[in-house]
């Protein structure tokens, strides 16, 4: 025993120091690697968050314009046809801006005065409801809902006013970046995809090429379908509203169109401001009911569900309502309002890709099992 | 620079170019230079090591391969069965053309014998080409149909010959017994 201890002590003197140093060096190395890795992750996440929105918008725009460019390509070169499409788009966009600017200015100048009026009306309505409730459930009075709504309304208004110059800067930046990105996606999209596919190993190359084609075709159909659907619903709502005396009809139409990108919840959010403004300004008369019918029956049921969705969007891409809620909540957590709008399409896109891969594999599994059956006989 | 040398250099490059290789395949012999240029943009050049599997029997097939350099063995039977060699293909040969238009599982396996460079043409690329350049696509399809028809004809002749052989064989058997 003592022999062992002596031996051990003799062994430690020289080498524990070395072991200690090695251990410290290892820990230092580990920390260095860890910190650099985490800072790398942070860096890449920041880069991604800066690029995310412009990249996404440019991809969507590229999907939208691609069929037009491909049609023109029969007559001109690819770059030439992209320029022609750009000039046409620019003309359309400037016409839209020219038409929208007076409405936009009216909207902004009146909103400061109107918004408190609308919240005031909501509060009055709420107070009525609460006093009615109070007669039956006395404990509700403990919770001062009208005051809450008032402060929420003020917060929302001040947030919108403060955010506008910032978001104007952002939009200005996007207006420069998005067309640039879109141009390169349109011109080199195929070769970018080709380059990615080329990276696949020889053994799986064929399948990857096939799947990339199938998935990108489905995706472009889906994106195009969704955007066209939103534009048509927005147009129908905008036109229908301009027939009445309601204010901000074009703005409400655009809002309904944009929110229509979110399934299930979007249309409801889209109709809230319109119905609220109609109720406050026009009262519960014939025009109010016309607006309600327009939003629910004409725009949603008739145009969207009976005409547009069957034509434009395959049932394949339909998500379970629960998935839609998850996508909206998680999207909102990551990227705010924009995240809420794009969360659902992104989940749909993932679903489409997975479904395509599954059907592809199934298509080829059936004959293969037949072959094996034949071999067994 | 001596102009003579640069000229020689350029000539050699031309012969090594992908378009030159494609032009000398029977499927693409009718293509114009511009169409060849377009075709050059949609094919995939892949290099394989020796003894590398290109595809196996039953794999989803989606296109054809042309051999630019090296040799390829086509065989039936998987890992368990003994390999039954069907053909050994060399530079300028092509295989897998039956799955180019109709999605079907591969009916045989293919493996490289030496380091090989293959030029692949796949259904996805052909379908994209059909949208953008229908005229070029139809010329390619004409060439493909010609080749497939020739092979079909040869196969049906072969079947007839074999049937006749079987008939003769059973007839002689019948006489003997």
């Amino acid at each position: 025993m003592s022999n062992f201890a002596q031996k051990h002590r003799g062994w430690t003197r020289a080498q524990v120091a070395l072991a200690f140093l090695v251990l410290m060096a290892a820990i230092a190395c580990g920390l260095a690697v860890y910190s650099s890795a985490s800072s790398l992750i942070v860096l890449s996440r920041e880069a991604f968050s800066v690029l995310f929105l412009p990249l996404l918008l440019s991809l969507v725009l590229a999907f939208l314009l691609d069929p037009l460019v491909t049609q023109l390509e029969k007559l001109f070169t690819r770059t030439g046809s992209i320029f022609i499409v750009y000039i046409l788009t620019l003309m359309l966009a400037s016409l839209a801006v020219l038409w929208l600017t007076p409405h936009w200015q009216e909207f902004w100048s009146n909103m400061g005065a109107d918004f408190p009026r609308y919240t005031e009306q909501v509060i009055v309505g709420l107070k009525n409801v609460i006093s009615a409730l109070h007669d039956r459930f006395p404990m509700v009075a403990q919770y001062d809902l009208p005051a809450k709504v008032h402060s929420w309304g003020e917060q929302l208004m001040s947030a919108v006013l403060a955010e506008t110059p910032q978001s104007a800067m952002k939009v200005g930046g996007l207006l420069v970046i998005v067309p640039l990105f879109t141009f390169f996606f349109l011109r080199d999209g195929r070769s970018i995809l080709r380059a990615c596919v080329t990276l696949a190993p020889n053994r799986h190359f064929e399948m990857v090429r096939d799947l990339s084609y199938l998935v990108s075709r489905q995706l472009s159909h889906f994106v195009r379908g969704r955007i066209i659907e939103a534009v048509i619903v927005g147009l129908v709502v905008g036109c229908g509203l301009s027939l009445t005396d309601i204010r901000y009809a074009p703005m409400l139409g655009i809002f309904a169109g944009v929110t229509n990108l979110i399934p299930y919840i979007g249309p409801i959010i889209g109709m809230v401001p319109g119905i609220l403004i109609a109720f406050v300004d026009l009262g519960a008369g014939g025009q109010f009911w016309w607006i309600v019918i327009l939003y629910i029956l004409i725009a949603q049921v008739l145009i969207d569900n009976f005409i547009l969705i069957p034509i434009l969007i395959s049932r394949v891409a339909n998500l379970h309502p629960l998935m839609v809620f998850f996508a909206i909540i998680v999207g909102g957590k990551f990227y705010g309002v924009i995240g809420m709008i794009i969360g659902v399409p992104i989940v749909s896109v993932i679903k489409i890709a997975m479904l395509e891969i599954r059907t592809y594999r199934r298509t080829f599994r059936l004959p293969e099992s037949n072959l094996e059956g034949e071999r067994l006989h | 620079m001596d102009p003579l040398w640069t000229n020689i250099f350029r000539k050699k490059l031309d012969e090594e170019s992908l378009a030159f290789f494609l032009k000398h395949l029977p499927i693409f012999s009718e293509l114009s230079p511009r169409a060849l240029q377009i075709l050059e943009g949609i094919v995939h050049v892949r290099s394989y090591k020796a003894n590398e599997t290109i595809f196996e029997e039953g794999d989803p097939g989606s296109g054809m391969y042309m051999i630019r350099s090296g040799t390829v063995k086509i065989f039936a039977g998987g890992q368990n069965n003994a390999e039954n060699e069907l053909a050994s293909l060399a530079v300028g040969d092509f295989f897998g053309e039956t799955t180019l238009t109709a999605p079907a599982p591969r009916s045989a396996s293919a493996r490289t014998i030496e380091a090989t460079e293959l030029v692949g043409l796949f259904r996805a690329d052909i379908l994209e080409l059909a949208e953008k350049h229908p005229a070029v696509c139809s010329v390619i399809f004409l060439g493909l149909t010609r080749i497939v028809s020739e092979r079909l004809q040869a196969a049906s002749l072969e079947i007839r010959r074999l049937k006749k052989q079987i008939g003769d064989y059973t007839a002689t058997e019948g006489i003997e017994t």
Side-chain angles (χ1 to χ4, degrees):
Chain A
M1 191 73 189
S2 67
N3 195 17
F4 173 77
Q6 228 175 4
K7 233 182 182 178
H8 197 248
R9 210 182 297 140
W11 180 78
T12 42
R13 275 286 162 103
Q15 293 190 325
V16 157
L18 189 70
F20 178 75
L21 278 177
V22 168
L23 203 69
M24 288 314 282
I27 290 171
C29 277
L31 276 176
V33 166
Y34 176 76
S35 68
S36 66
S38 61
S39 69
L40 261 182
I41 289 168
V42 167
L43 270 178
S44 54
R45 198 164 62 193
E46 259 173 31
F48 181 73
S49 70
V50 168
L51 281 176
F52 182 73
L53 191 63
L55 273 180
L56 193 89
L57 285 178
S58 335
L59 272 177
V60 168
L61 209 61
F63 273 134
L64 270 179
L65 297 179
D66 186 60
L68 221 67
V69 173
T70 309
Q71 284 299 316
L72 280 173
E73 212 186 337
K74 286 171 190 162
L75 302 172
F76 311 97
T77 60
R78 181 109 185 140
T79 314
S81 30
I82 294 171
F83 273 119
I84 292 168
V85 168
Y86 261 46
I87 290 166
L88 286 175
T89 317
L90 200 69
M91 280 161 69
L92 268 177
S94 49
L95 273 179
V97 167
L98 274 181
W99 170 77
L100 208 63
T101 309
H103 293 288
W104 187 246
Q105 280 169 345
E106 184 208 343
F107 178 75
W108 274 117
S109 54
N110 289 346
M111 211 49 206
D114 278 347
F115 193 78
R117 201 158 56 83
Y118 294 132
T119 49
E120 215 47 55
Q121 281 287 328
V122 172
I123 287 163
V124 167
L126 265 176
K127 268 186 181 153
N128 289 338
V129 172
I130 283 180
S131 62
L133 271 176
H134 189 234
D135 295 340
R136 288 169 213 176
F137 308 105
M139 62 280 200
V140 175
Q142 305 268 318
Y143 191 70
D144 194 4
L145 203 56
K148 280 264 179 200
V149 170
H150 190 81
S151 68
W152 283 341
E154 275 178 354
Q155 274 174 13
L156 181 68
M157 192 62 202
S158 63
V160 167
L161 285 176
E163 284 278 315
T164 310
Q166 270 193 355
S167 50
M169 285 283 285
K170 270 188 203 161
V171 168
L174 284 181
L175 279 180
V176 178
I177 294 171
V178 170
L180 200 73
F181 281 9
T182 311
F183 175 79
F184 287 112
F185 279 144
L186 278 173
R187 204 189 62 156
D188 304 328
R190 288 222 170 92
S191 40
I192 291 170
L193 193 66
R194 250 178 92 89
C196 293
V197 168
T198 305
L199 293 176
N202 280 335
R203 190 72 184 80
H204 304 287
F205 176 71
E206 236 178 282
M207 193 178 74
V208 171
R209 177 70 194 95
D210 241 23
L211 282 176
S212 74
Y213 170 73
L214 290 172
V215 170
S216 70
R217 197 184 53 175
Q218 279 287 340
L219 277 191
S220 62
H221 274 240
F222 174 77
V223 171
R224 230 172 279 154
R226 276 275 172 219
I227 300 282
I228 294 169
E229 182 201 354
V231 167
I232 293 177
V233 167
L235 272 179
V236 167
V237 169
C239 292
L241 288 179
S242 1
L243 296 177
T244 66
D245 297 332
I246 196 170
R247 305 161 82 180
Y248 320 127
M251 290 294 139
L252 290 172
I254 291 171
F255 186 69
V258 170
T259 51
N260 204 69
L261 290 171
I262 310 170
Y264 303 108
I265 305 169
I268 298 170
I269 298 173
M271 65 182 71
V272 164
I275 289 176
L276 199 72
I277 290 172
F279 186 71
V280 171
D281 282 352
L282 306 171
Q287 285 201 345
F288 172 72
W289 290 115
W290 156 249
I291 287 166
V292 171
I293 287 171
L294 170 78
Y295 266 118
I296 297 174
L297 278 182
I298 299 179
Q300 280 312 311
V301 178
L302 199 70
I303 303 282
D304 205 21
N305 276 321
F306 286 169
I307 301 174
L308 294 180
I309 288 180
I311 296 174
L312 293 173
I313 295 159
S314 63
R315 292 248 165 250
V316 178
N318 276 354
L319 291 176
H320 191 275
L322 208 58
M323 268 323 283
V324 171
F325 281 107
F326 286 164
I328 290 169
I329 291 165
V330 174
K333 177 80 188 160
F334 281 159
Y335 293 106
V337 181
I338 294 161
M340 286 180 162
I341 295 173
I342 61 184
V344 176
I346 285 177
V347 173
S348 313
V349 157
I350 294 168
K351 192 187 173 189
I352 288 173
M354 280 163 62
L355 278 176
E356 252 337 297
I357 291 171
R358 209 173 64 183
T359 43
Y360 178 80
R361 291 176 61 168
R362 194 176 288 165
T363 316
F364 286 105
R365 201 179 302 147
L366 275 172
E368 193 186 1
S369 60
N370 280 354
L371 261 182
E372 269 168 16
E374 275 172 22
R375 229 182 276 153
L376 281 176
H377 284 301
Chain B
M1 279 282 262
D2 192 346
L4 180 72
W5 286 105
T6 52
N7 270 347
I8 287 170
F9 195 54
R10 173 174 282 167
K11 177 94 177 145
K12 199 168 180 197
L13 253 185
D14 262 353
E15 278 180 13
E16 278 172 4
S17 77
L18 191 54
F20 182 85
F21 167 73
L22 292 170
K23 174 80 185 159
H24 285 77
L25 289 172
I27 294 188
F28 307 124
S29 57
E30 303 290 316
L31 287 179
S32 64
R34 184 177 141 66
L36 275 173
Q37 205 187 340
I38 292 168
L39 182 69
E40 218 179 0
I42 67 162
V43 294
H44 301 262
V45 181
R46 311 282 302 176
S47 33
Y48 290 75
K49 295 189 200 101
N51 274 323
E52 195 176 342
T53 306
I54 301 162
F55 52 72
E56 264 170 22
E57 195 175 324
D59 275 1
S62 65
M64 62 181 286
Y65 291 92
M66 298 149 266
I67 304 172
R68 201 176 174 194
S69 69
T71 39
V72 171
K73 182 170 100 168
I74 308 285
F75 60 96
Q79 289 112 0
N80 305 338
N81 317 24
E83 285 174 9
N84 176 18
E85 187 170 330
L86 300 174
S88 176
L89 304 175
V91 179
D93 289 335
F94 51 90
F95 54 97
E97 71 282 355
T98 46
T99 56
L100 185 58
T101 49
R106 296 285 184 194
S107 53
S109 307
R111 190 189 299 147
T112 57
I113 293 172
E114 53 188 323
T116 302
E117 199 176 39
L118 297 178
V119 179
L121 177 62
F122 300 107
R123 188 164 55 246
D125 302 300
I126 281 282
L127 289 176
E128 274 178 9
L129 184 72
E131 273 172 36
K132 274 165 70 179
H133 303 285
V136 176
C137 198
S138 70
V139 177
I140 291 176
F141 274 144
L142 268 178
L144 181 72
T145 320
R146 199 180 61 233
I147 299 292
V148 172
S149 314
E150 276 170 14
R151 291 197 174 175
L152 194 63
Q153 227 158 12
S156 60
L157 282 178
E158 181 74 7
I159 289 173
R160 202 182 295 165
R161 193 181 64 76
L162 286 172
K163 265 189 182 167
K164 192 163 175 285
Q165 221 170 27
I166 291 173
D168 290 347
Y169 181 70
T170 47
T172 51
E173 286 276 291
I175 288 165
E176 273 172 21
T177 49

